[in-house]
Amino acid sequence: MRRLTIIGLAVVLIAGVAAVSISRAGADSEEATLRTLVPKVISSWESLDITKVEPYYAADADFAYFDIVPLKYKNWAEYRTGAQKALFEPNTSIKLRLNDDLGVHRRGSLAWATVTFAADLVSKQGTASHLDGRWTMVLEKRAHGWIVVHEHVSAPLGGS
C-alpha cells in the first residue's frame, strides 16, 4: 500500500511539472510572437501608407490613441486621419530605429510592449529632423491574432 501511495504521488508530481512546462512553453510562444509583431507594427509607419499600418490597429469606436501631437485621438478613425495629415503628407521619408530595450509583458489575452526609438524624418521641403522617443502599445489577442488596442508615443521634454 505504501509503495502504491509513493507511485501515486510521483505520478501527480510529474503531471504537475509537465503541466507547468506546457503552460510556460505556450507563454513563451506568445511572447515570441509579440516580440516579432511589435517591430513589424512600428516599421509599418515607415511606409507612409496608412493602409499598411491600419491592419495592426483595432478600430473599436472608443479606443484612444496618443501620439506626439495632438493630445489625444478618440478612436482609430481620428488617428488614421491625423497621422495621414500630420505625419505622412508633410514627409517624404521616416526611418525608425528601435533601441535594444523592447519589453513585452502578457497577462492572458492582453499584453503591453514598451520600447524607445530614434526617428529620422525628411520633409517634402528636404529638411531633415531627428526625434528620440518612447512607444507603448497595449495589445489584445483576438480571433485573428494580436492587435493594438491602445498606443502612446511620446518624446521627453527637451527632446531626449
Side-chain angles (χ1 to χ4, degrees):
M1 180 70 167
R2 181 181 165 132
R3 187 175 188 179
L4 190 56
T5 302
I6 291 172
I7 292 172
L9 287 173
V11 169
V12 168
L13 182 62
I14 291 169
V17 169
V20 168
S21 296
I22 290 168
S23 174
R24 215 173 258 153
D28 291 347
S29 171
E30 290 297 337
E31 183 177 319
T33 298
L34 289 161
R35 286 187 172 280
T36 301
L37 177 63
V38 169
K40 283 182 185 177
V41 173
I42 292 172
S43 70
S44 72
W45 288 92
E46 292 179 320
S47 71
L48 298 174
D49 181 350
I50 201 69
T51 65
K52 292 183 178 164
V53 174
E54 69 185 336
Y56 297 110
Y57 289 80
D60 301 47
D62 60 344
F63 285 176
Y65 295 98
F66 300 140
D67 210 322
I68 302 290
V69 292
L71 180 63
K72 175 182 177 181
Y73 291 106
K74 291 184 250 173
N75 53 49
W76 174 253
E78 279 188 9
Y79 196 12
R80 182 186 204 286
T81 301
Q84 183 67 41
K85 185 175 181 177
L87 191 60
F88 293 166
E89 288 176 11
N91 293 300
T92 58
S93 75
I94 298 171
K95 298 295 178 210
L96 299 164
R97 182 183 46 77
L98 301 185
N99 295 321
D100 63 357
D101 59 352
L102 175 62
V104 173
H105 311 278
R106 186 178 70 86
R107 301 293 183 273
S109 63
L110 291 176
W112 63 98
T114 58
V115 68
T116 58
F117 68 95
D120 291 298
L121 295 88
V122 177
S123 73
K124 288 187 176 171
Q125 290 74 36
T127 305
S129 59
H130 178 83
L131 171 78
D132 293 313
R134 51 201 165 214
W135 206 311
T136 302
M137 290 180 198
V138 178
L139 301 103
E140 181 179 15
K141 187 162 189 186
R142 295 189 175 177
H144 62 281
W146 291 96
I147 191 161
V148 178
V149 296
H150 175 73
E151 179 174 85
H152 188 130
V153 179
S154 63
L157 289 175
S160 56

